[in-house]
Amino acid sequence: MDNREQEFKKRLLATFIAEALEHLGTISKGLLELEKSPPRMERGKIAEVVYRDIHSLKGAARAVNVSEVETLCQALEAAFSGWKRGDDIIPAVAFETLYRAIESIRAIVASLEAGGVVTESGKISGIIRELSLYGANGAKSAQSAAPPERDAPLPTAEPAQLLSSATVRVNAQTLKKLLLHSEDMLTSKYAADEDSARINAIAELMEVLRTGISRTYIDMMPLFEKLSSGRQTALNPQQTTELEEFFNWAATGSREISSKIHALVKSSSLHKKNLDKMVLDLLDKTKQAMMLPLSSLLESFPLFARDISHAEGKSVELTLRGADIEMDRRILEEIKDPLIHIIRNSLDHGIETPQARAALGKPPRGSITITASQTAGANVEIAITDDGAGINAGKVKQAAIASGLIAQKDAETLDNREALQLIFASGISTNKIITDISGRGLGLAIAREKAEKLGGRISVESTPDKGTAFRLTLPITVATFRGILVKSSGRTFILPTATVERTAKFKPGDIRTVENREAVELDGRALSLARLDAVLGLPIKAKKKNEASEAPVTVLVLNSEERRIAFGVDEIIGEEDVLVKPLGRQLQKVKNITGAAIIGSGAPVPVLNAQEIIRSAAKAVPSPLATTTDEEEAYQGKILVVEDSVTSRILLKNILEGAGYHVKTVVDGIEALSALKTSEFDAVVSDIEMPRMNGFDLTRKIRADKKLSELPVVLVTALETKEDREQGIEAGANAYIVKSSFDQGNLLSVLQQLI
Amino acid sequence: MTEINKNTADAASEKLRSILKERALRVAALPQTNIPAAEKMMELTEFTLSGEKYAFESAHIREVRPLEHITPLPGVPAFILGIINVRSEILSVIDLRKFFDLPEKGLTNLNKVIILSSPEMEFGVLADDATGGRVVNADNLVKTLVTLTGIREEYLMGVTTDRTAVLDAGKLLSDKRIIVREGVET
């Protein structure tokens, strides 16, 4: 078989898997409804739907040559041919067989999806034999048939496999609109091409003007020197003409550039307006294509609940409400595991055995309801309610105290509702709280983490012996949100605006130190102050000596359920609409960080998790002020020294370190650039003549880099000619120090001015 | 064309055909052992890092791209240099020297990111330069030099005759130790 054919077969199989899961969903849902013995009319309608889906599934299985599914469907179809008119009631014992048949198909599909082979054939023949008792031929004998034996445990398929499949079905209309919108974007692309050409033309003109001006300036320097020293008192006629011509030339050039820029400003603001609208429309339509009804996730839950409760000798009915609400596929994928965990909790520990329930006067059959409803804003609330044993808030408190999560005296101030929320804490084993939860005790902590990551919340309410309700509030779609960009230790971070209560500035004198921790007073209340760089474990950048005591501290006040903390940052850069993205598959969970957003320059910026940094700050973080040592006080900044000569390198390093700078040395421009890419510096001191990349090229590269363009560059060189100095300044160096006239005071005072 | 020439041409092409046929038969009759088995051939993408030559099997590489901007992250292991933006998707980038505890000797340029990818995992590996691809016979990789490279044996497939260390990208991709999952203890 050649590759193309194989590829095609693979694609065909993938399509079949997606389709099969869809049919299985409908069939299971139908079976559950039929099991509740609906009235005759309805019964016929439901059975008819199930029959049709079985038939379609059979056809699909035949097309991809999955004969096991085909024969099972054949048998199911035959059985349903008798029931689909609704005349006959499906005997209770038949459901067991029907569910086993569906589970078998599900298991086959799952193994196909995993790339494996079908292993169910042994069980299939038994199921088919049992099914043959029903339907047109076997209906009469059904009543007398002995209940089928359950030989092996059912292959319990994880619910919601639909979501894990690699293919998505998208409404053709939506897809068509998407294409139209994408085509629309082309006009913007052409407009951007045009603008880019205009900018190039301006840049060329500007370059001519700039070099002309700097040449003239250098040419005129001797003249100015003569004038200022009094050796010449007036311009001679030729000089006057030259100057006049120069100004005339410069004025004309500037005028031309100015008018070109005006035209560009006009066209680009128009394009921006168009582009804004197009991008938003396209995003909107694309989001619609990503929406799936909640039922795609939930429809297999009732069957899943039924299997688990059966295995535990309990009887539970799981009901879905509001499952037609549509949510972003990416959110549905994320909440699948937390939902399964919560439902397993209810099944294992919430719902009691029929005997225990009878003793309490409850109906023997427990109930779990999943209710989805749209709430204010673009949010959906998913409530998972059971009528089981409930959670004992007192026991939760005891476990929390035992594990050191809260202090005895704090525990006393918590009411029952607050105490219950402690079950989401990751530090304590839920095993101790709710007696012996099967599996991972961290499930609820993970559920909270997921909800917060998606910008949602989770809470719990419970009444002993009455039941428990988990409420999961989630955004409908992965939306952009307002974020505040802050700088800490020279790095940029984003905090969701919604988590920031307010911002403020404090004079260092207003910061008190209590028990080695800093605090400030805001609106008459004491508030603990944490430095963001210390909380995140960033290298702490001490202030320069002269500004240390005066500079005000910028703080953001963050608020979570339990605590309110002020975070000190270097500065607040601004506010932007941001879209949080995951950090890639390798970084599944990074402490204090939710994800990253891509800002205007294309650089990814970490988005901080407000709840987590509050928790991190609450743990003892030594205040940087309290631990400041003399060494840190002298710290002036970090300098990158670029020099190929060992002697000069050591000399520069010694001078700079002696003056309190941290120094890193590299041997040429290329190494310097990679050092600049991986860590932050306050200034670069560079030689000019070096192998691979010289100081001029390094300076140009630094100026051309968006992030580094503002970085002070000092060139230190043996080259002393006018041309060299000119080239250095043209390249964009901030200072030019000639080695022959080098003294260390000179270099240090230049650096002091620049940093 | 004259009649004689045509005949000569016919005779020549006839001769050519018979030579080709004979060669075809000879090639067809070659014993199997002389042809390297297809599965033993490996396509490699070579790169340099701190002056040393390394290679990954190309099958594990999604793309090689220039390093533009890398954002460091607080609170991650030292071998993770930071995150980059690859067409609006965030990817983590690792420094093999830190991961393998290699001395950071020699000049370094850090110009390229090699993106390794499997269905479950994806990340970038920082390199000074990617020097191209070639095909080698897996049987010719030397295992005895393994200890000289300083790389833990489990990650090394072998060393080529020109001393390029062939790293096991599949092993790196499936290594649980490379995954960062902090905050929630599992």
Side-chain angles (χ1 to χ4, degrees):
Chain A
M1 192 171 9
D2 71 24
N3 269 342
R4 275 223 310 277
E5 200 180 328
Q6 220 157 12
E7 200 49 47
F8 174 71
K9 286 224 159 166
K10 238 162 99 185
R11 275 215 316 272
L12 195 65
L13 198 61
T15 316
F16 167 70
I17 289 165
E19 188 187 344
L21 289 171
E22 228 168 279
H23 288 312
L24 285 169
T26 317
I27 297 168
S28 320
K29 205 171 136 202
L31 287 181
L32 280 165
E33 282 169 25
L34 287 171
E35 202 181 5
K36 292 180 200 157
S37 327
R40 195 190 145 199
M41 272 301 287
E42 214 176 304
R43 192 166 70 219
K45 236 188 272 169
I46 299 166
E48 172 83 39
V49 171
V50 172
Y51 176 76
R52 256 190 283 130
D53 268 69
I54 293 171
H55 183 80
S56 312
L57 182 55
K58 184 180 80 176
R62 185 182 298 147
V64 290
N65 219 357
V66 183
S67 59
E68 292 84 355
V69 173
E70 192 191 336
T71 41
L72 272 169
C73 284
Q74 180 107 46
L76 280 167
E77 200 180 355
F80 263 88
S81 63
W83 295 324
K84 69 175 177 184
R85 282 188 317 275
D87 295 343
D88 302 321
I89 296 173
I90 305 178
V93 327
F95 279 101
E96 200 59 44
T97 313
L98 291 172
Y99 285 125
R100 282 173 64 199
I102 299 302
E103 276 318 314
S104 267
I105 297 175
R106 223 179 250 283
I108 292 167
V109 173
S111 63
L112 286 174
E113 193 175 9
V117 285
V118 177
T119 53
E120 297 280 303
S121 29
K123 290 177 203 156
I124 291 173
S125 50
I127 295 171
I128 290 174
R129 221 176 20 250
E130 282 167 28
L131 282 173
S132 69
L133 295 172
Y134 312 109
N137 309 322
K140 282 165 214 90
S141 56
Q143 310 298 330
S144 57
E149 279 167 53
R150 228 174 120 159
D151 42 10
L154 289 180
T156 311
E158 280 271 285
Q161 280 176 347
L162 177 63
L163 284 167
S164 60
S165 63
T167 47
V168 206
R169 287 193 172 196
V170 179
N171 181 304
Q173 206 55 37
T174 314
L175 204 58
K176 197 171 152 196
K177 278 187 200 148
L178 265 180
L179 180 65
L180 288 178
H181 278 281
S182 308
E183 283 173 352
D184 256 1
M185 304 281 292
L186 278 178
T187 54
S188 259
K189 182 205 164 316
Y190 298 137
D193 291 347
E194 231 170 79
D195 280 357
S196 153
R198 287 175 178 201
I199 291 170
N200 276 334
I202 293 171
E204 270 166 34
L205 270 175
M206 192 65 220
E207 191 56 27
V208 172
L209 195 64
R210 197 184 61 81
T211 46
I213 290 173
S214 73
R215 283 250 164 72
T216 311
Y217 176 62
I218 288 160
D219 289 346
M220 294 280 176
M221 257 195 238
L223 171 65
F224 293 144
E225 247 169 61
K226 276 186 210 157
L227 284 170
S228 61
S229 66
R231 274 181 286 149
Q232 186 181 336
T233 47
L235 296 177
N236 62 38
Q238 199 212 329
Q239 286 168 335
T240 314
T241 318
E242 267 176 31
L243 264 183
E244 201 184 337
E245 268 172 13
F246 168 72
F247 280 118
N248 189 19
W249 174 80
T252 315
S254 319
R255 216 168 24 246
E256 199 178 329
I257 289 171
S258 166
S259 84
K260 278 189 193 297
I261 288 179
H262 273 296
L264 181 65
V265 166
K266 224 173 171 182
S267 78
S268 80
S269 87
L270 183 72
H271 297 154
K272 183 197 167 302
K273 233 182 261 166
N274 290 339
L275 188 62
D276 277 358
K277 194 184 168 307
M278 280 188 270
V279 169
L280 290 180
D281 280 354
L282 181 63
L283 195 60
D284 203 49
K285 291 283 168 321
T286 315
K287 274 183 186 163
Q288 276 176 26
M290 292 295 280
M291 299 290 255
L292 278 180
L294 251 174
S295 57
S296 62
L297 171 69
L298 299 178
E299 67 187 1
S300 55
F301 278 34
L303 199 57
F304 163 76
R306 189 183 179 278
D307 280 347
I308 304 256
S309 57
H310 255 244
E312 296 191 352
K314 294 176 183 175
S315 171
V316 177
E317 186 182 350
L318 194 149
T319 322
L320 303 177
R321 290 203 190 115
D324 53 342
I325 290 179
E326 292 200 332
M327 289 182 80
D328 194 305
R329 191 169 187 264
R330 290 165 291 177
I331 291 185
L332 291 177
E333 270 165 14
E334 289 291 313
I335 60 168
K336 176 185 152 195
D337 289 342
L339 278 179
I340 291 175
H341 184 85
I342 292 170
I343 289 164
R344 275 216 77 127
N345 258 352
S346 284
L347 290 168
D348 290 353
H349 310 289
I351 305 291
E352 312 89 332
T353 58
Q355 297 79 0
R357 293 181 64 87
L360 287 163
K362 291 182 182 181
R365 186 169 217 195
S367 101
I368 298 176
T369 313
I370 305 181
T371 314
S373 52
Q374 204 148 346
T375 60
N379 284 333
V380 170
E381 185 191 86
I382 302 172
I384 303 103
T385 333
D386 69 47
D387 66 348
I391 304 170
N392 185 323
K395 277 192 189 156
V396 175
K397 264 191 212 181
Q398 281 166 21
I401 295 166
S403 66
L405 185 77
I406 52 168
Q408 178 83 44
K409 64 173 168 39
D410 294 335
E412 280 158 16
T413 65
L414 295 178
D415 63 27
N416 278 352
R417 202 189 126 73
E418 286 167 329
L420 279 178
Q421 313 310 316
L422 292 169
I423 63 170
F424 296 111
S426 63
I428 52 173
S429 157
T430 39
N431 277 344
K432 288 181 199 148
I433 296 176
I434 311 164
T435 49
D436 62 275
I437 278 187
S438 56
R440 311 144 297 184
L442 283 158
L444 289 175
I446 291 168
R448 170 159 87 173
E449 183 199 312
K450 282 261 160 85
E452 284 174 2
K453 206 170 186 170
L454 295 166
R457 285 188 311 278
I458 187 168
S459 65
V460 63
E461 290 155 34
S462 182
T463 315
D465 288 336
K466 286 277 190 304
T468 306
F470 283 92
R471 281 176 212 287
L472 195 54
T473 309
L474 294 161
I476 285 178
T477 175
V478 180
T480 58
F481 62 85
R482 299 291 285 169
I484 297 179
L485 278 82
V486 300
K487 219 165 212 172
S488 181
S489 192
R491 298 200 199 158
T492 310
F493 295 95
I494 293 172
L495 271 161
T497 306
T499 64
V500 178
E501 191 183 295
R502 59 174 295 183
T503 61
K505 277 195 178 184
F506 289 98
K507 289 197 206 96
D510 295 337
I511 300 172
R512 288 175 293 120
T513 306
V514 184
E515 289 170 19
N516 215 15
R517 299 178 81 119
E518 290 181 305
V520 289
E521 197 171 292
L522 195 65
D523 306 329
R525 282 177 59 192
L527 199 58
S528 52
L529 170 68
R531 308 285 176 145
L532 189 58
D533 44 11
V535 172
L536 295 177
L538 300 174
I540 292 168
K541 191 174 168 186
K543 297 283 177 208
K544 277 170 249 168
K545 262 184 207 159
N546 48 357
E547 60 172 330
S549 49
E550 317 307 324
V553 178
T554 305
V555 305
L556 295 102
V557 180
L558 305 191
N559 202 343
S560 81
E561 312 111 62
E562 314 106 77
R563 292 185 196 86
R564 200 162 162 256
I565 290 183
F567 284 88
V569 298
D570 295 352
E571 63 172 310
I572 293 174
I573 303 169
E575 203 180 358
E576 255 184 50
D577 280 325
V578 294
L579 180 64
V580 187
K581 292 169 185 269
L583 295 171
R585 271 178 262 181
Q586 187 196 357
L587 306 180
Q588 295 185 351
K589 174 79 190 77
V590 174
K591 202 175 166 199
N592 299 322
I593 294 171
T594 314
I598 291 163
I599 56 167
S601 66
V605 175
V607 177
L608 298 174
N609 178 330
Q611 267 89 11
E612 264 185 38
I613 61 170
I614 289 175
R615 276 173 230 147
S616 298
K619 290 180 193 140
V621 174
S623 110
L625 276 194
T627 58
T628 298
T629 61
D630 289 343
E631 195 199 330
E632 271 165 349
E633 209 124 56
Y635 176 70
Q636 298 275 331
K638 203 171 166 196
I639 312 280
L640 181 66
V641 170
V642 193
E643 169 71 73
D644 59 331
S645 138
V646 186
T647 327
S648 302
R649 206 154 61 219
I650 291 170
L651 176 73
L652 285 168
K653 191 170 151 71
N654 280 348
I655 294 172
L656 293 168
E657 284 182 345
Y661 292 100
H662 285 190
V663 178
K664 183 179 167 68
T665 57
V666 292
V667 302
D668 64 30
I670 290 187
E671 263 198 65
L673 280 179
S674 64
L676 289 168
K677 270 177 203 160
T678 47
S679 47
E680 311 246 5
F681 293 92
D682 295 302
V684 173
V685 174
S686 175
D687 188 7
I688 290 181
E689 287 173 304
M690 289 177 295
R692 296 209 296 174
M693 184 190 284
N694 70 28
F696 293 138
D697 290 334
L698 171 63
T699 311
R700 276 184 212 110
K701 283 253 154 70
I702 289 174
R703 289 292 168 258
D705 188 296
K706 269 180 236 138
K707 257 214 100 188
L708 302 173
S709 60
E710 300 295 326
L711 186 71
V713 177
V714 178
L715 294 176
V716 181
T717 179
L719 305 170
E720 211 179 340
T721 64
K722 192 182 97 182
E723 282 75 19
D724 285 320
R725 188 187 287 266
E726 196 186 325
Q727 205 185 342
I729 285 160
E730 261 188 40
N734 299 71
Y736 194 90
I737 296 174
V738 179
K739 273 180 184 168
S740 56
S741 64
F742 181 82
D743 80 45
Q744 63 177 65
N746 193 357
L747 173 65
L748 294 177
S749 74
V750 164
L751 281 174
Q752 207 120 60
Q753 279 171 38
L754 290 173
I755 300 178
Chain B
M1 194 187 274
T2 65
E3 194 64 17
I4 294 164
N5 276 346
K6 187 172 180 293
N7 282 340
T8 325
D10 276 354
S13 75
E14 184 56 42
K15 194 174 177 203
L16 193 65
R17 256 202 296 278
S18 79
I19 291 173
L20 286 176
K21 193 172 177 191
E22 192 214 335
R23 271 190 205 160
L25 286 172
R26 225 175 29 224
V27 169
L30 273 181
Q32 280 296 311
T33 45
N34 284 7
I35 302 169
E39 68 261 42
K40 285 190 180 160
M41 299 313 287
M42 290 168 78
E43 199 192 320
L44 299 179
T45 296
E46 297 179 301
F47 63 98
T48 55
L49 184 59
S50 279
E52 300 289 335
K53 287 189 289 181
Y54 301 97
F56 284 129
E57 229 184 308
S58 306
H60 296 291
I61 296 178
R62 184 180 104 182
E63 63 181 291
V64 177
R65 50 185 288 126
L67 174 65
E68 275 151 8
H69 178 93
I70 181 158
T71 303
L73 287 180
V76 291
F79 66 83
I80 292 168
L81 279 172
I83 48 174
I84 55 169
N85 168 9
V86 182
R87 291 181 293 277
S88 283
E89 192 188 347
I90 310 275
L91 266 187
S92 48
V93 175
I94 69 168
D95 184 344
L96 286 180
R97 292 170 302 174
K98 296 232 169 66
F99 187 71
F100 291 130
D101 288 323
L102 297 178
E104 292 186 34
K105 56 174 184 199
L107 301 184
T108 188
N109 198 348
L110 304 183
N111 256 332
K112 289 282 194 306
V113 182
I114 299 169
I115 299 177
L116 297 182
S117 177
S118 76
E120 293 80 32
M121 185 50 61
E122 198 159 56
F123 53 79
V125 169
L126 212 52
D128 284 340
D129 218 342
T131 43
R134 66 164 156 161
V135 176
V136 297
N137 187 333
D139 282 345
N140 293 344
L141 292 181
V142 186
K143 309 269 187 203
T144 48
L145 289 173
V146 161
T147 46
L148 294 179
T149 61
I151 287 175
R152 291 197 288 283
E153 203 170 332
E154 51 180 317
Y155 296 102
L156 202 58
M157 302 180 86
V159 180
T160 64
T161 42
D162 66 345
R163 295 239 168 174
T164 299
V166 182
L167 305 176
D168 191 341
K171 173 92 194 175
L172 272 174
L173 282 163
S174 61
D175 194 333
K176 295 276 175 279
R177 278 171 288 184
I178 219 157
I179 296 174
V180 175
R181 215 193 132 73
E182 287 174 22
V184 178
E185 302 83 29
T186 44

